[in-house]
Amino acid sequence: MNWNVVSVQPLSPMELMVRFQDGTEGKVRFESSHLSGVFEALKAPEIFQQVRVESGAVTWPGDIDLAPDAMYQEIKRNGEWVLR
């Protein structure tokens, strides 16, 4: 599937660069309003920096992950995915 993530890199607090299997690249940006519930742990810079790719998805410790298909669609369309 094209939306499998093959690399992820934290760029700054609350911002990532991702690359997909088909070569599509773009940014994922979290707005503070999105950092609630399961995502609240990502407010801690030491947790956010632990981002990795697991089974084609962006993940963090504590079973936090992002839907790669939705991310792919937004990045393909806009060059970035802003989580509000």
Side-chain angles (χ1 to χ4, degrees):
M1 290 183 214
N2 287 341
W3 63 69
N4 281 337
V5 176
V6 295
S7 70
V8 62
Q9 173 182 357
L11 296 176
S12 63
M14 302 303 117
E15 190 173 80
L16 304 169
M17 176 61 75
V18 297
R19 187 166 51 85
F20 295 90
Q21 188 171 344
D22 70 350
T24 299
E25 292 183 315
K27 291 181 181 179
V28 176
R29 201 164 36 92
F30 288 84
E31 292 191 354
S32 58
S33 59
H34 191 78
L35 298 175
S36 61
V38 68
F39 293 107
E40 190 159 353
L42 300 181
K43 288 180 181 178
E46 64 274 8
I47 299 295
F48 191 81
Q49 293 292 319
Q50 293 180 45
V51 66
R52 65 187 183 279
V53 176
E54 191 173 297
S55 301
V58 173
T59 66
W60 288 268
D63 294 326
I64 302 169
D65 63 9
L66 298 175
D69 54 339
M71 184 187 329
Y72 179 83
Q73 290 171 6
E74 276 301 303
I75 288 175
K76 192 79 168 168
R77 188 177 2 212
N78 300 313
E80 75 174 351
W81 189 30
V82 180
L83 297 161
R84 297 184 164 97

